[in-house]
Amino acid sequence: MKKRYLLLVAALAVVVSGCGSANEAISSDSTADVEVSVGDDGEIVTQYGTVKLGDYKNLSATKSVTEVTDDDVEAEIENLQYEYAEYNEVDRKSKDGDYVEVYMTASIDGEVVYDYSKEQDGYEILLGYNEFGKKFDKKLTGVSKSDKLSFTVDYKDDFEDESLAGQSVDYEVEVVGVQEEVIPELDEEFITETLGYESEEDMKTQVRKDLEETNDSDADYEVQEELMTQVIEASEFLDYTDEVYETSKESVESNYQYYAEMFGYTDADDIYEAFGMTDDDVESEIMDMVYRSIVISAIAGVEDLGVTDSEYDEQAEALAQDYGYDSVDDFAADYDESEINYLILEQKVLTFLEDNATITEETEQVDEGDGDVEVEGIE
């Protein structure tokens, strides 16, 4: 069963930031130096295209690190409890907080816009989340396994799902089952045996440390992306190869097609509409990838930032962990050597930009009482 409401959050993060698999398709060809040629007028010819680089050694950016609060620590501990939640089938009518497994379709004027039929592995509805609106959740409250429902929901124009907003949507639903979520108690056994901490105090200390490291890493990422954007905007792109354009286009389209299938849309055009994207927006994403590939190759070549064999071995292992793989072999089964090499080279260039930039650090302090954020500079 699909959990669309959770996956959409992750997908939006990837789509909006332009990171992740959107850049994986373009790859360097070896684990040696990146070869470029530099003309007398400063034109740099790379395997992806020709560019006159803007200044990339005297940039500036602000690194803003969000402070970790006690509320953040408590929320993360609660997330840990939810990670170990059990989902038990219940022989009763559904109620708020239950997961209702369904086969369903959603249609507008006879055209299916969401297909979560049996052939598509169905879907899970979290009652109370109101993913398809309050009226929809109300219809699925008090149902039991094998119930079949047909109903219509009229959505307001400002409904958050743009594909449903302002529409009259007909639903056909078959209830496959009802599950209740059981959250483990935060007791000594759970803390020490399940989570592996020495004590509750040790748990809070380690969780805070992990959150601080994550916030710092996120801030570094934002800085590096800002610097890359500055370089691209300051550079003059003279040409690019058909190969890099087609590969970038294929990567963007395949990403959105993947999201479309994940969320039950018919094709990529439906996900574009859900994200509020136009053809020009899609083309802009493609060209961003093209320009990024050229810049990375150009800087890597000029600054001799090729990936050595030892760097490849070390960073491939780190990437495998970051991408959630159990081993480098599993990671390499999905990403070939050239793709992994590009990811490593890309990070070397981003780190180079940050190391040669003027970075002003500041801490975002959150007032736990009212949620206000205060920014404090770091000298």
Side-chain angles (χ1 to χ4, degrees), residues 40 51 57 93 102 156 158 173 177 179 211 244 260 266 276 279 301 316 329 333 347:
D40 294 336
V51 63
K57 289 186 178 179
K93 293 184 180 299
V102 300
K156 294 182 178 179
D158 60 353
V173 181
Q179 295 181 337
L211 289 174
V244 74
T266 304
D279 290 342
D329 288 341
Q347 188 54 55

Side-chain angles (χ1 to χ4, degrees), residues 220-228 347 350-351 353-354:
D220 271 332
Y221 169 80
E222 294 296 336
V223 164
Q224 292 175 352
E225 289 301 307
E226 168 60 24
L227 296 175
M228 175 59 70
Q347 188 54 55
L350 291 170
T351 300
L353 294 180
E354 186 173 10

Side-chain angles (χ1 to χ4, degrees), residues 91-240:
D91 185 19
R92 59 165 171 75
K93 293 184 180 299
S94 62
K95 63 180 182 180
D96 191 54
D98 284 341
Y99 286 85
V100 181
E101 301 174 85
V102 300
Y103 298 141
M104 78 174 205
T105 58
S107 303
I108 299 175
D109 295 330
E111 180 180 350
V112 175
V113 292
Y114 286 131
D115 182 5
Y116 296 121
S117 59
K118 185 176 182 179
E119 292 72 20
Q120 298 298 325
D121 297 327
Y123 196 64
E124 286 187 348
I125 305 296
L126 173 57
L127 295 182
Y129 187 78
N130 298 323
E131 178 184 4
F132 292 97
K134 291 183 178 180
K135 183 177 179 181
F136 181 93
D137 274 22
K138 186 176 181 180
K139 288 287 186 180
L140 288 185
T141 302
V143 299
S144 303
K145 183 177 181 179
S146 300
D147 284 353
K148 294 183 179 181
L149 301 86
S150 298
F151 56 90
T152 300
V153 176
D154 295 320
Y155 290 94
K156 294 182 178 179
D157 293 337
D158 60 353
F159 188 67
E160 59 184 10
D161 187 332
E162 294 185 7
S163 64
L164 302 180
Q167 302 290 337
S168 182
V169 182
D170 299 318
Y171 289 97
E172 295 289 335
V173 181
E174 178 183 350
V175 179
V176 181
V178 178
Q179 295 181 337
E180 65 177 358
E181 186 177 46
V182 181
I183 309 300
E185 293 291 331
L186 190 63
D187 53 23
E188 182 178 355
E189 180 181 0
F190 178 73
I191 292 172
T192 59
E193 296 185 15
T194 302
L195 297 181
Y197 295 108
E198 295 180 0
S199 63
E200 182 177 0
E201 188 61 30
D202 177 53
M203 175 185 65
K204 291 182 178 180
T205 299
Q206 292 300 320
V207 166
R208 181 179 295 275
K209 180 181 178 182
D210 291 343
L211 289 174
E212 289 172 345
E213 290 177 352
T214 297
N215 286 359
D216 187 72
S217 177
D218 289 346
D220 271 332
Y221 169 80
E222 294 296 336
V223 164
Q224 292 175 352
E225 289 301 307
E226 168 60 24
L227 296 175
M228 175 59 70
T229 298
Q230 290 180 31
V231 177
I232 290 174
E233 291 179 347
S235 298
E236 181 183 354
F237 297 90
L238 304 180
D239 60 52
Y240 54 85

Side-chain angles (χ1 to χ4, degrees), residues 26 240-253 286 290:
I26 312 303
Y240 54 85
T241 66
D242 291 339
E243 180 184 3
V244 74
Y245 179 84
E246 291 302 324
T247 307
S248 299
K249 180 180 179 181
E250 180 182 348
S251 182
V252 169
E253 291 178 347
I286 295 171
V290 170

Side-chain angles (χ1 to χ4, degrees), residues 57-104:
K57 289 186 178 179
N58 299 288
L59 306 175
S60 61
T62 299
K63 178 180 177 180
S64 184
V65 183
T66 303
E67 178 188 43
V68 175
T69 67
D70 291 342
D71 285 348
D72 294 331
V73 174
E74 293 300 324
E76 183 61 22
I77 291 173
E78 185 176 339
N79 287 338
L80 290 175
Q81 291 176 264
Y82 275 93
E83 286 184 16
Y84 289 90
E86 295 182 355
Y87 298 89
N88 300 328
E89 191 86 20
V90 293
D91 185 19
R92 59 165 171 75
K93 293 184 180 299
S94 62
K95 63 180 182 180
D96 191 54
D98 284 341
Y99 286 85
V100 181
E101 301 174 85
V102 300
Y103 298 141
M104 78 174 205

